[in-house]
mmCIF file of all heavy atoms in Angstrom:
data_model
loop_
_atom_site.group_PDB
_atom_site.id
_atom_site.type_symbol
_atom_site.label_atom_id
_atom_site.label_comp_id
_atom_site.label_asym_id
_atom_site.label_seq_id
_atom_site.Cartn_x
_atom_site.Cartn_y
_atom_site.Cartn_z
ATOM 1 N N GLY A 1 11.687 12.693 -2.937
ATOM 2 C CA GLY A 1 10.322 12.817 -3.503
ATOM 3 C C GLY A 1 10.215 13.799 -4.629
ATOM 4 O O GLY A 1 11.247 14.372 -5.073
ATOM 5 N N PRO A 2 9.025 14.132 -5.075
ATOM 6 C CA PRO A 2 8.834 15.146 -6.168
ATOM 7 C C PRO A 2 9.100 16.586 -5.736
ATOM 8 O O PRO A 2 9.171 16.807 -4.475
ATOM 9 C CB PRO A 2 7.310 14.943 -6.554
ATOM 10 C CG PRO A 2 6.690 14.409 -5.358
ATOM 11 C CD PRO A 2 7.672 13.498 -4.660
ATOM 12 N N SER A 3 9.155 17.433 -6.670
ATOM 13 C CA SER A 3 9.435 18.803 -6.378
ATOM 14 C C SER A 3 8.176 19.620 -5.962
ATOM 15 O O SER A 3 8.381 20.612 -5.266
ATOM 16 C CB SER A 3 10.013 19.507 -7.602
ATOM 17 O OG SER A 3 9.179 19.444 -8.692
ATOM 18 N N HIS A 4 7.070 19.116 -6.177
ATOM 19 C CA HIS A 4 5.838 19.917 -5.923
ATOM 20 C C HIS A 4 4.762 18.875 -5.290
ATOM 21 O O HIS A 4 4.722 17.713 -5.704
ATOM 22 C CB HIS A 4 5.256 20.504 -7.082
ATOM 23 C CG HIS A 4 6.151 21.584 -7.645
ATOM 24 N ND1 HIS A 4 7.001 21.348 -8.603
ATOM 25 C CD2 HIS A 4 6.211 22.913 -7.353
ATOM 26 C CE1 HIS A 4 7.677 22.482 -8.914
ATOM 27 N NE2 HIS A 4 7.211 23.405 -8.208
ATOM 28 N N TYR A 5 3.986 19.352 -4.311
ATOM 29 C CA TYR A 5 2.877 18.588 -3.958
ATOM 30 C C TYR A 5 1.587 19.138 -4.723
ATOM 31 O O TYR A 5 1.681 20.126 -5.435
ATOM 32 C CB TYR A 5 2.656 18.705 -2.429
ATOM 33 C CG TYR A 5 2.606 20.083 -1.881
ATOM 34 C CD1 TYR A 5 1.598 21.071 -2.138
ATOM 35 C CD2 TYR A 5 3.639 20.566 -0.942
ATOM 36 C CE1 TYR A 5 1.634 22.255 -1.647
ATOM 37 C CE2 TYR A 5 3.644 21.797 -0.473
ATOM 38 C CZ TYR A 5 2.599 22.727 -0.785
ATOM 39 O OH TYR A 5 2.615 24.004 -0.277
ATOM 40 N N ALA A 6 0.447 18.496 -4.543
ATOM 41 C CA ALA A 6 -0.715 18.842 -5.187
ATOM 42 C C ALA A 6 -1.125 20.282 -4.711
ATOM 43 O O ALA A 6 -0.965 20.634 -3.506
ATOM 44 C CB ALA A 6 -1.941 17.907 -4.859
ATOM 45 N N LYS A 7 -1.645 21.101 -5.642
ATOM 46 C CA LYS A 7 -1.979 22.449 -5.358
ATOM 47 C C LYS A 7 -3.049 22.523 -4.259
ATOM 48 O O LYS A 7 -3.049 23.499 -3.454
ATOM 49 C CB LYS A 7 -2.514 23.130 -6.631
ATOM 50 C CG LYS A 7 -2.690 24.604 -6.456
ATOM 51 C CD LYS A 7 -3.007 25.366 -7.764
ATOM 52 C CE LYS A 7 -3.021 26.815 -7.659
ATOM 53 N NZ LYS A 7 -3.386 27.471 -8.930
ATOM 54 N N LEU A 8 -3.859 21.553 -4.116
ATOM 55 C CA LEU A 8 -4.861 21.493 -3.071
ATOM 56 C C LEU A 8 -4.246 21.541 -1.716
ATOM 57 O O LEU A 8 -4.811 22.047 -0.740
ATOM 58 C CB LEU A 8 -5.706 20.188 -3.169
ATOM 59 C CG LEU A 8 -6.783 20.002 -2.164
ATOM 60 C CD1 LEU A 8 -7.892 21.009 -2.340
ATOM 61 C CD2 LEU A 8 -7.418 18.588 -2.338
ATOM 62 N N MET A 9 -2.955 21.093 -1.567
ATOM 63 C CA MET A 9 -2.290 21.036 -0.307
ATOM 64 C C MET A 9 -1.895 22.447 0.160
ATOM 65 O O MET A 9 -1.553 22.630 1.384
ATOM 66 C CB MET A 9 -1.040 20.173 -0.384
ATOM 67 C CG MET A 9 -1.331 18.668 -0.666
ATOM 68 S SD MET A 9 -1.782 17.706 0.757
ATOM 69 C CE MET A 9 -0.264 17.553 1.571
ATOM 70 N N GLN A 10 -1.891 23.380 -0.703
ATOM 71 C CA GLN A 10 -1.643 24.772 -0.294
ATOM 72 C C GLN A 10 -2.749 25.333 0.635
ATOM 73 O O GLN A 10 -2.516 26.131 1.453
ATOM 74 C CB GLN A 10 -1.502 25.707 -1.492
ATOM 75 C CG GLN A 10 -0.368 25.464 -2.350
ATOM 76 C CD GLN A 10 -0.282 26.441 -3.563
ATOM 77 O OE1 GLN A 10 -1.092 27.318 -3.629
ATOM 78 N NE2 GLN A 10 0.675 26.169 -4.480
ATOM 79 N N MET A 11 -3.977 24.810 0.378
ATOM 80 C CA MET A 11 -5.125 25.293 1.137
ATOM 81 C C MET A 11 -4.983 24.596 2.555
ATOM 82 O O MET A 11 -4.721 23.373 2.713
ATOM 83 C CB MET A 11 -6.428 24.874 0.515
ATOM 84 C CG MET A 11 -6.511 25.461 -0.937
ATOM 85 S SD MET A 11 -8.055 24.850 -1.760
ATOM 86 C CE MET A 11 -7.761 25.409 -3.344
ATOM 87 N N PRO A 12 -5.243 25.316 3.678
ATOM 88 C CA PRO A 12 -5.119 24.679 4.977
ATOM 89 C C PRO A 12 -5.836 23.374 5.162
ATOM 90 O O PRO A 12 -5.319 22.499 5.803
ATOM 91 C CB PRO A 12 -5.648 25.801 5.853
ATOM 92 C CG PRO A 12 -5.291 27.094 5.170
ATOM 93 C CD PRO A 12 -5.506 26.720 3.745
ATOM 94 N N ALA A 13 -7.047 23.318 4.659
ATOM 95 C CA ALA A 13 -7.842 22.073 4.809
ATOM 96 C C ALA A 13 -7.428 20.983 3.795
ATOM 97 O O ALA A 13 -7.918 19.811 3.994
ATOM 98 C CB ALA A 13 -9.338 22.440 4.731
ATOM 99 N N GLY A 14 -6.645 21.288 2.813
ATOM 100 C CA GLY A 14 -6.381 20.359 1.733
ATOM 101 C C GLY A 14 -5.663 19.157 2.087
ATOM 102 O O GLY A 14 -5.765 18.128 1.489
ATOM 103 N N TYR A 15 -4.801 19.214 3.189
ATOM 104 C CA TYR A 15 -4.045 18.078 3.602
ATOM 105 C C TYR A 15 -4.952 16.829 3.906
ATOM 106 O O TYR A 15 -4.555 15.729 3.885
ATOM 107 C CB TYR A 15 -3.155 18.336 4.736
ATOM 108 C CG TYR A 15 -3.786 18.378 6.098
ATOM 109 C CD1 TYR A 15 -3.685 17.297 7.012
ATOM 110 C CD2 TYR A 15 -4.575 19.416 6.541
ATOM 111 C CE1 TYR A 15 -4.326 17.241 8.192
ATOM 112 C CE2 TYR A 15 -5.280 19.433 7.769
ATOM 113 C CZ TYR A 15 -5.099 18.320 8.575
ATOM 114 O OH TYR A 15 -5.704 18.358 9.795
ATOM 115 N N MET A 16 -6.216 17.105 4.439
ATOM 116 C CA MET A 16 -7.090 16.056 4.820
ATOM 117 C C MET A 16 -7.385 15.084 3.741
ATOM 118 O O MET A 16 -7.636 13.946 3.920
ATOM 119 C CB MET A 16 -8.395 16.642 5.369
ATOM 120 C CG MET A 16 -8.260 17.462 6.654
ATOM 121 S SD MET A 16 -7.820 16.457 8.071
ATOM 122 C CE MET A 16 -9.326 15.582 8.343
ATOM 123 N N LYS A 17 -7.349 15.599 2.501
ATOM 124 C CA LYS A 17 -7.568 14.712 1.307
ATOM 125 C C LYS A 17 -6.478 13.715 1.040
ATOM 126 O O LYS A 17 -6.624 12.744 0.258
ATOM 127 C CB LYS A 17 -7.877 15.603 0.063
ATOM 128 C CG LYS A 17 -9.155 16.375 0.061
ATOM 129 C CD LYS A 17 -10.390 15.458 -0.008
ATOM 130 C CE LYS A 17 -11.682 16.194 -0.087
ATOM 131 N NZ LYS A 17 -12.871 15.301 -0.296
ATOM 132 N N TYR A 18 -5.305 13.926 1.669
ATOM 133 C CA TYR A 18 -4.201 13.087 1.344
ATOM 134 C C TYR A 18 -3.767 12.249 2.563
ATOM 135 O O TYR A 18 -2.732 11.583 2.505
ATOM 136 C CB TYR A 18 -2.991 13.957 0.916
ATOM 137 C CG TYR A 18 -3.249 14.499 -0.526
ATOM 138 C CD1 TYR A 18 -4.029 15.641 -0.726
ATOM 139 C CD2 TYR A 18 -2.826 13.820 -1.613
ATOM 140 C CE1 TYR A 18 -4.293 16.189 -2.001
ATOM 141 C CE2 TYR A 18 -3.083 14.273 -2.880
ATOM 142 C CZ TYR A 18 -3.767 15.389 -3.071
ATOM 143 O OH TYR A 18 -4.033 15.881 -4.343
ATOM 144 N N LEU A 19 -4.474 12.304 3.698
ATOM 145 C CA LEU A 19 -4.191 11.489 4.821
ATOM 146 C C LEU A 19 -4.239 9.963 4.400
ATOM 147 O O LEU A 19 -5.169 9.445 3.880
ATOM 148 C CB LEU A 19 -5.142 11.763 5.933
ATOM 149 C CG LEU A 19 -5.017 13.075 6.658
ATOM 150 C CD1 LEU A 19 -6.062 13.179 7.681
ATOM 151 C CD2 LEU A 19 -3.654 13.218 7.357
ATOM 152 N N GLY A 20 -3.163 9.294 4.758
ATOM 153 C CA GLY A 20 -3.121 7.847 4.446
ATOM 154 C C GLY A 20 -2.799 7.466 3.068
ATOM 155 O O GLY A 20 -2.590 6.251 2.754
ATOM 156 N N ARG A 21 -2.598 8.481 2.117
ATOM 157 C CA ARG A 21 -2.296 8.109 0.791
ATOM 158 C C ARG A 21 -0.723 8.224 0.616
ATOM 159 O O ARG A 21 -0.058 8.809 1.465
ATOM 160 C CB ARG A 21 -2.872 9.149 -0.166
ATOM 161 C CG ARG A 21 -4.399 8.976 -0.278
ATOM 162 C CD ARG A 21 -5.071 10.082 -1.080
ATOM 163 N NE ARG A 21 -4.425 10.335 -2.399
ATOM 164 C CZ ARG A 21 -4.941 11.165 -3.315
ATOM 165 N NH1 ARG A 21 -6.143 11.777 -3.045
ATOM 166 N NH2 ARG A 21 -4.289 11.402 -4.411
ATOM 167 N N GLU A 22 -0.227 7.627 -0.442
ATOM 168 C CA GLU A 22 1.218 7.553 -0.581
ATOM 169 C C GLU A 22 1.678 8.463 -1.699
ATOM 170 O O GLU A 22 2.819 8.236 -2.166
ATOM 171 C CB GLU A 22 1.629 6.123 -0.876
ATOM 172 C CG GLU A 22 1.294 5.173 0.346
ATOM 173 C CD GLU A 22 1.904 3.800 0.113
ATOM 174 O OE1 GLU A 22 3.064 3.661 -0.237
ATOM 175 O OE2 GLU A 22 1.106 2.797 0.430
ATOM 176 N N ASP A 23 0.941 9.490 -2.087
ATOM 177 C CA ASP A 23 1.313 10.417 -3.064
ATOM 178 C C ASP A 23 2.622 11.094 -2.594
ATOM 179 O O ASP A 23 3.505 11.269 -3.393
ATOM 180 C CB ASP A 23 0.282 11.518 -3.311
ATOM 181 C CG ASP A 23 -1.025 10.936 -3.626
ATOM 182 O OD1 ASP A 23 -1.669 10.172 -2.853
ATOM 183 O OD2 ASP A 23 -1.535 11.211 -4.811
ATOM 184 N N PHE A 24 2.662 11.608 -1.378
ATOM 185 C CA PHE A 24 3.814 12.377 -0.896
ATOM 186 C C PHE A 24 4.327 11.820 0.420
ATOM 187 O O PHE A 24 4.950 12.568 1.212
ATOM 188 C CB PHE A 24 3.394 13.797 -0.764
ATOM 189 C CG PHE A 24 2.668 14.368 -1.945
ATOM 190 C CD1 PHE A 24 1.362 14.673 -1.885
ATOM 191 C CD2 PHE A 24 3.385 14.589 -3.214
ATOM 192 C CE1 PHE A 24 0.710 15.127 -3.048
ATOM 193 C CE2 PHE A 24 2.668 14.958 -4.286
ATOM 194 C CZ PHE A 24 1.316 15.293 -4.230
ATOM 195 N N LEU A 25 4.084 10.536 0.759
ATOM 196 C CA LEU A 25 4.344 9.983 1.924
ATOM 197 C C LEU A 25 5.055 8.591 1.676
ATOM 198 O O LEU A 25 4.685 7.873 0.776
ATOM 199 C CB LEU A 25 3.145 9.734 2.869
ATOM 200 C CG LEU A 25 2.414 11.026 3.349
ATOM 201 C CD1 LEU A 25 1.106 10.553 3.992
ATOM 202 C CD2 LEU A 25 3.272 11.829 4.286
ATOM 203 N N GLU A 26 5.935 8.210 2.545
ATOM 204 C CA GLU A 26 6.464 6.867 2.635
ATOM 205 C C GLU A 26 5.874 6.230 3.869
ATOM 206 O O GLU A 26 6.148 6.696 4.968
ATOM 207 C CB GLU A 26 8.013 6.913 2.684
ATOM 208 C CG GLU A 26 8.663 5.584 2.680
ATOM 209 C CD GLU A 26 10.150 5.610 2.640
ATOM 210 O OE1 GLU A 26 10.738 5.910 3.766
ATOM 211 O OE2 GLU A 26 10.785 5.390 1.625
ATOM 212 N N MET A 27 5.231 5.100 3.658
ATOM 213 C CA MET A 27 4.597 4.485 4.848
ATOM 214 C C MET A 27 5.524 3.448 5.482
ATOM 215 O O MET A 27 5.977 2.509 4.785
ATOM 216 C CB MET A 27 3.265 3.767 4.411
ATOM 217 C CG MET A 27 2.277 4.758 3.829
ATOM 218 S SD MET A 27 1.717 5.961 5.068
ATOM 219 C CE MET A 27 0.418 6.827 4.142
ATOM 220 N N HIS A 28 5.853 3.591 6.712
ATOM 221 C CA HIS A 28 6.696 2.617 7.464
ATOM 222 C C HIS A 28 5.786 1.781 8.369
ATOM 223 O O HIS A 28 5.100 2.303 9.239
ATOM 224 C CB HIS A 28 7.645 3.424 8.331
ATOM 225 C CG HIS A 28 8.704 4.156 7.486
ATOM 226 N ND1 HIS A 28 9.911 3.599 7.121
ATOM 227 C CD2 HIS A 28 8.732 5.374 6.975
ATOM 228 C CE1 HIS A 28 10.546 4.448 6.354
ATOM 229 N NE2 HIS A 28 9.818 5.531 6.299
ATOM 230 N N HIS A 29 5.709 0.427 8.015
ATOM 231 C CA HIS A 29 4.975 -0.397 8.874
ATOM 232 C C HIS A 29 5.933 -0.909 9.983
ATOM 233 O O HIS A 29 6.898 -1.621 9.737
ATOM 234 C CB HIS A 29 4.534 -1.656 8.042
ATOM 235 C CG HIS A 29 3.542 -1.291 7.035
ATOM 236 N ND1 HIS A 29 2.182 -1.521 7.147
ATOM 237 C CD2 HIS A 29 3.663 -0.658 5.867
ATOM 238 C CE1 HIS A 29 1.546 -1.067 6.097
ATOM 239 N NE2 HIS A 29 2.403 -0.523 5.293
ATOM 240 N N THR A 30 5.684 -0.444 11.240
ATOM 241 C CA THR A 30 6.537 -0.758 12.329
ATOM 242 C C THR A 30 6.453 -2.268 12.647
ATOM 243 O O THR A 30 5.474 -2.895 12.297
ATOM 244 C CB THR A 30 6.208 0.064 13.582
ATOM 245 O OG1 THR A 30 4.845 -0.224 13.916
ATOM 246 C CG2 THR A 30 6.314 1.542 13.279
ATOM 247 N N VAL A 31 7.413 -2.783 13.331
ATOM 248 C CA VAL A 31 7.425 -4.216 13.676
ATOM 249 C C VAL A 31 6.229 -4.562 14.563
ATOM 250 O O VAL A 31 5.769 -3.608 15.283
ATOM 251 C CB VAL A 31 8.757 -4.633 14.326
ATOM 252 C CG1 VAL A 31 9.879 -4.411 13.408
ATOM 253 C CG2 VAL A 31 8.973 -3.869 15.662
ATOM 254 N N GLU A 32 5.804 -5.677 14.487
ATOM 255 C CA GLU A 32 4.650 -6.137 15.369
ATOM 256 C C GLU A 32 5.037 -5.936 16.880
ATOM 257 O O GLU A 32 6.153 -6.337 17.335
ATOM 258 C CB GLU A 32 4.264 -7.558 15.145
ATOM 259 C CG GLU A 32 3.730 -7.792 13.730
ATOM 260 C CD GLU A 32 3.305 -9.250 13.412
ATOM 261 O OE1 GLU A 32 3.611 -10.008 14.298
ATOM 262 O OE2 GLU A 32 2.797 -9.484 12.319
ATOM 263 N N GLN A 33 4.058 -5.386 17.599
ATOM 264 C CA GLN A 33 4.304 -5.034 19.015
ATOM 265 C C GLN A 33 3.490 -6.068 19.880
ATOM 266 O O GLN A 33 2.327 -6.025 19.854
ATOM 267 C CB GLN A 33 3.904 -3.598 19.315
ATOM 268 C CG GLN A 33 4.476 -2.551 18.383
ATOM 269 C CD GLN A 33 5.857 -2.278 18.749
ATOM 270 O OE1 GLN A 33 6.141 -1.931 19.899
ATOM 271 N NE2 GLN A 33 6.767 -2.420 17.727
ATOM 272 N N PRO A 34 4.133 -6.939 20.626
ATOM 273 C CA PRO A 34 3.431 -7.861 21.471
ATOM 274 C C PRO A 34 2.457 -7.165 22.438
ATOM 275 O O PRO A 34 1.349 -7.654 22.621
ATOM 276 C CB PRO A 34 4.498 -8.647 22.197
ATOM 277 C CG PRO A 34 5.691 -8.499 21.283
ATOM 278 C CD PRO A 34 5.634 -7.144 20.593
ATOM 279 N N ARG A 35 2.881 -5.999 22.980
ATOM 280 C CA ARG A 35 2.018 -5.360 23.956
ATOM 281 C C ARG A 35 0.893 -4.647 23.355
ATOM 282 O O ARG A 35 -0.016 -4.195 24.007
ATOM 283 C CB ARG A 35 2.852 -4.331 24.858
ATOM 284 C CG ARG A 35 3.348 -3.140 24.120
ATOM 285 C CD ARG A 35 4.091 -2.259 24.983
ATOM 286 N NE ARG A 35 5.356 -2.903 25.527
ATOM 287 C CZ ARG A 35 6.441 -3.014 24.806
ATOM 288 N NH1 ARG A 35 6.569 -2.553 23.587
ATOM 289 N NH2 ARG A 35 7.440 -3.635 25.304
ATOM 290 N N LEU A 36 0.882 -4.541 22.037
ATOM 291 C CA LEU A 36 -0.275 -4.004 21.229
ATOM 292 C C LEU A 36 -1.037 -5.119 20.547
ATOM 293 O O LEU A 36 -1.800 -4.798 19.634
ATOM 294 C CB LEU A 36 0.235 -2.971 20.194
ATOM 295 C CG LEU A 36 1.141 -1.855 20.690
ATOM 296 C CD1 LEU A 36 1.329 -0.925 19.535
ATOM 297 C CD2 LEU A 36 0.518 -1.116 21.809
ATOM 298 N N GLY A 37 -0.950 -6.272 21.107
ATOM 299 C CA GLY A 37 -1.720 -7.340 20.553
ATOM 300 C C GLY A 37 -1.237 -7.797 19.137
ATOM 301 O O GLY A 37 -1.953 -8.342 18.322
ATOM 302 N N GLY A 38 0.034 -7.566 18.891
ATOM 303 C CA GLY A 38 0.635 -7.902 17.586
ATOM 304 C C GLY A 38 0.500 -6.857 16.483
ATOM 305 O O GLY A 38 0.855 -7.009 15.333
ATOM 306 N N ARG A 39 -0.129 -5.699 16.827
ATOM 307 C CA ARG A 39 -0.217 -4.602 15.876
ATOM 308 C C ARG A 39 1.164 -4.065 15.545
ATOM 309 O O ARG A 39 1.974 -3.996 16.436
ATOM 310 C CB ARG A 39 -1.082 -3.492 16.395
ATOM 311 C CG ARG A 39 -2.542 -3.694 16.441
ATOM 312 C CD ARG A 39 -3.308 -2.533 17.034
ATOM 313 N NE ARG A 39 -3.055 -1.318 16.213
ATOM 314 C CZ ARG A 39 -2.772 -0.098 16.690
ATOM 315 N NH1 ARG A 39 -2.672 0.107 17.998
ATOM 316 N NH2 ARG A 39 -2.628 0.879 15.811
ATOM 317 N N GLY A 40 1.345 -3.546 14.332
ATOM 318 C CA GLY A 40 2.439 -2.859 13.880
ATOM 319 C C GLY A 40 2.037 -1.483 13.345
ATOM 320 O O GLY A 40 1.807 -1.421 12.156
#
């Protein structure tokens, strides 16, 4: 990944603005789970 995250992330509450985004995350879609109704 990059060498720096957004400056906002230094602030304790700042991470909430990046939840679910792929700026600094790699999203792994797990395999479909039969016991979860096919959710992955």
Side-chain angles (χ1 to χ4, degrees):
S3 59
H4 296 89
Y5 51 68
K7 192 171 182 179
L8 181 65
M9 297 279 284
Q10 292 180 7
M11 305 176 189
Y15 81 101
M16 294 292 291
K17 289 292 187 181
Y18 288 85
L19 289 177
R21 290 173 50 172
E22 297 188 46
D23 304 63
F24 313 109
L25 296 169
E26 181 179 78
M27 298 298 184
H28 294 268
H29 294 256
T30 61
V31 299
E32 293 181 355
Q33 308 282 305
R35 70 181 60 83
L36 305 186
R39 285 180 62 223

